[in-house]
Amino acid sequence: MLTTAELFSLLIPALLEGVETGGDEVARGADNFFEVLSGSAPGETLTEPFLTLVDCIEDEFLQLQEGSVSRDIEELVRFLGSGASIKERPGLLWKVFFPEALYLDDDPRAQIDKLRKRRRIKILRPAEVPITRPEREMLFTSNVLLTVPVPGKDPLPADNSLRKKALDAAKGPQQYWYDHPVPLGTSPESNEVLYGLKGLARAYGVEKERRPGADASHVKVLLSISVTHRDLRPLAGEWLSSVLSGEEKKSLEGLEVFGFTEDDTAEILNILDPCIDGDEERLLLREVFGVDGEYGRHYSFLKAFPALWSVLLDPDIRGTFKIDLDQVFPQQELIAETGKSAFELFTSPLWGAYGRDFQGKECELGMIAGALVNEGDIRRGLFTPDIPWPESTPTGEDLFFFKQRPMAVSTRAEMMTRYGEEGMPDGTDSAIERFHVTGGTNGILLESLRRHRPFTPGFVGRAEDQAYILSTFTAEGPPRLGYLHQPGLIMRHDKEAFASQAVTAGKAGSYVGDLVRTLVFSDYASFLQGGQKMTKAMVDPFTGCFISAAPAISAGLRLALHLVDTSKGSPGARKEVLELAARRLPEILKRKRGPRGELARRWQRERRAWNLYYDLLDRLEEAPPEGVRAAFSRLVERCRLV
């Protein structure tokens, strides 16, 4: 059996071929990690996160050699030992560490056709009562992520009381990290909250022109308001309300906007207290029902809260759809290329249909998913993939973790399918099921929500959208829950066009979040029904490429290759990545090496909590205690922003 030193002494030089490496302090730390893996330096020289990574990598490599890829490892080592370039036969590397690059076929063009066939659903019966009035039957939701002001870069006056309070909040510890939160005080032209809501209002204006009957309704938008510092909670709603008032309010005509902070969600549970049975249930619900924390927490809230709204406030609400506020519906292009406006695309009888998948298993298409087009690409057509096609074999980190290929393949196979074209589903008797979804442009019917009770665990801090359906994989009996692909339901992604500074500032968090995603998803999938193998079979290639048999090897090598590569950013930018990785990865890795089942036990606890929540909805619907409706209505009105 090979040692880690025997493998990595050959693998690391092969991965560094063609990479322009730096000699700065950050790169030297990564080089030291490579030396330890290769057996040429003692492990005591390492600092975090590499110190914890090495121990996990030793364990994982032993398990890999005892698994199904043992012969592939031997073949890879023989090839590397011959002195040949790995770029001559990258498939040998991918078989061991990134099999998703070879999913279904070696030829990526053939992968698209084969994946599309696996995603095909034969429709057994359409939705019995499809959505017909989206503006009346749907709630739109989105998440707002706020952080403290950036001194000297916010336009608020120095003597502004809100600004002073926000800067005081910054003195306290930061509790949560998000990719690119909006600093309080951000100017209106760079504020994605205002940008996205204005875009939705414009889109609804087009709907009212096309369908005069829609003019009598207002579109309701529910916002979760998450903050990085606890003391921002009482300030968040006040600031957002001021941003959305005055002259800006005119541009939000047709919308009713409500915002909910962590304190508001606690008050909601206080209102529901007469229906909660005892302290244990009360504690369980408070653990999952809220908006501050990892991304999974607010994402689950935004999906679950509309069901409570429907029960206590407005029974006409039958579905919900999440948008991201850096995205807008490009109505002109939608109508020109699909013949339908954004809201008309929600009225498909396939949303809520039942069918059979390629294995003959029943599937309820209770969720719906759209796609994205980049603002800079839409001139080429609405159906322009937002992920470029990888034309060549990359180097370094991107060669080792070649996510560009499965991402490009699944984007084209799932997101870009147009019903009725040659070789495609017809959109009546057959459709496409989705697993590759984005945080915006997806929704769920409340009937399906309450039946299947999906949620994203609070320990998921990245790709919370793709983790959402995994919770239903343990459901007993058919039909399972699935996403309907709705062709043309495409939003234009404008982040780079109006807030590129926020994107740049969030790059370190986004990158480290990707590493965390591999560690967490791999652990999560291992205890779902059917285990990691079955889960990957469902969600490969793109979502599945973050579910790995060797997650510490994947995260560790990616991080080190990133830190030595000068093309990945300045020394300062790479240092920011290292510092964030040192803060986030060890805790997750130590949990991985700790008592088995810790994450599984937490998941079971959250599963129980969400079951309690939906059972509570059933009781409320049958006989709500006196005063609950009125108290809930008052709270909602207090949270009104527009």
Side-chain angles (χ1 to χ4, degrees), residues 347-423:
T347 63
S348 168
L350 293 177
W351 188 13
Y354 282 74
R356 291 190 189 279
D357 65 16
F358 80 104
Q359 294 178 312
K361 296 179 180 179
E362 289 186 40
C363 178
E364 174 188 343
L365 297 175
M367 295 192 285
I368 191 170
L372 298 175
V373 60
N374 287 326
E375 188 267 346
D377 295 333
I378 197 168
R379 64 184 182 278
R380 295 160 51 197
L382 184 68
F383 290 85
T384 302
D386 66 327
I387 303 300
W389 187 258
E391 297 291 351
S392 59
T393 303
T395 59
E397 177 193 3
D398 297 326
L399 171 64
F400 178 73
F401 193 80
F402 191 23
K403 71 175 182 179
Q404 293 84 355
R405 178 180 284 185
M407 194 175 189
V409 165
S410 64
T411 295
R412 286 153 181 78
E414 296 185 28
M415 296 183 173
M416 294 294 109
T417 296
R418 302 180 71 171
Y419 296 153
E421 293 186 349
E422 185 177 355

Side-chain angles (χ1 to χ4, degrees), residues 455-507:
F455 68 99
T456 299
F459 53 73
V460 170
R462 184 79 175 159
E464 67 283 359
D465 42 10
Q466 294 179 44
Y468 187 66
I469 199 171
L470 300 185
S471 65
T472 68
F473 286 4
T474 59
E476 297 295 333
R480 63 177 176 80
L481 181 62
Y483 279 100
L484 165 72
H485 167 62
Q486 177 63 329
L489 185 57
I490 295 174
M491 298 190 75
R492 192 184 71 220
H493 196 194
D494 289 1
K495 171 63 80 175
E496 295 287 353
F498 82 98
S500 58
Q501 186 176 357
V503 174
T504 301
K507 279 188 175 180

Side-chain angles (χ1 to χ4, degrees), residues 126-390:
E128 293 182 4
V129 186
I131 295 286
T132 57
R133 298 177 300 156
E135 68 282 347
R136 187 68 193 87
E137 297 175 275
M138 293 173 60
L139 293 177
F140 288 80
T141 67
S142 193
N143 59 297
V144 177
L145 307 172
L146 297 181
T147 192
V148 295
V150 180
K153 294 186 178 180
D154 62 278
L156 294 175
D159 60 350
N160 182 281
S161 62
L162 184 64
R163 181 180 187 272
K164 289 180 178 179
K165 291 176 184 177
L167 290 174
D168 284 341
K171 297 174 184 176
Q174 181 168 344
Q175 294 177 296
Y176 310 112
W177 282 262
Y178 305 117
D179 285 358
H180 38 79
V182 177
L184 262 73
T186 297
S187 62
E189 60 270 18
S190 296
N191 189 331
E192 72 174 51
V193 181
L194 189 56
Y195 186 89
L197 292 176
K198 283 182 176 181
L200 183 59
R202 288 195 302 272
Y204 186 43
V206 174
E207 301 292 335
K208 290 190 287 187
E209 291 175 1
R210 288 175 64 85
R211 295 179 297 116
D215 191 45
S217 298
H218 285 81
V219 172
K220 293 181 175 61
V221 186
L222 311 186
L223 303 176
S224 63
I225 305 173
S226 306
V227 295
T228 56
H229 296 66
R230 183 184 181 88
D231 289 343
L232 285 180
R233 288 178 188 171
L235 311 178
E238 179 186 349
W239 180 67
L240 283 174
S241 183
S242 68
V243 167
L244 303 179
S245 62
E247 288 298 312
E248 300 293 355
K249 189 174 181 179
K250 298 176 184 177
S251 61
L252 303 177
E253 184 180 352
L255 303 185
E256 292 184 63
V257 184
F258 305 83
F260 299 88
T261 67
E262 183 73 17
D263 290 341
D264 296 323
T265 63
E267 181 58 29
I268 290 168
L269 291 181
N270 289 339
I271 291 170
L272 301 180
D273 197 66
C275 303
I276 300 173
D277 186 13
D279 291 341
E280 185 180 5
E281 287 194 4
R282 200 169 287 113
L283 178 62
L284 282 169
L285 287 169
R286 289 190 186 280
E287 286 178 8
V288 300
F289 192 81
V291 299
D292 282 351
E294 296 281 14
Y295 281 77
R297 185 171 166 85
H298 73 247
Y299 192 84
S300 293
F301 169 81
L302 287 174
K303 289 286 190 275
F305 183 54
L308 178 63
W309 184 291
S310 175
V311 168
L312 290 181
L313 210 58
D314 189 352
D316 285 346
I317 299 298
R318 300 178 48 231
T320 181
F321 189 79
K322 182 177 181 292
I323 63 173
D324 284 345
L325 294 172
D326 56 357
Q327 300 165 190
V328 297
F329 288 111
Q331 290 281 48
Q332 181 179 342
E333 289 83 359
L334 286 176
I335 294 166
E337 295 194 44
T338 72
K340 295 183 178 181
S341 65
F343 284 31
E344 289 165 356
L345 288 163
F346 292 122
T347 63
S348 168
L350 293 177
W351 188 13
Y354 282 74
R356 291 190 189 279
D357 65 16
F358 80 104
Q359 294 178 312
K361 296 179 180 179
E362 289 186 40
C363 178
E364 174 188 343
L365 297 175
M367 295 192 285
I368 191 170
L372 298 175
V373 60
N374 287 326
E375 188 267 346
D377 295 333
I378 197 168
R379 64 184 182 278
R380 295 160 51 197
L382 184 68
F383 290 85
T384 302
D386 66 327
I387 303 300
W389 187 258

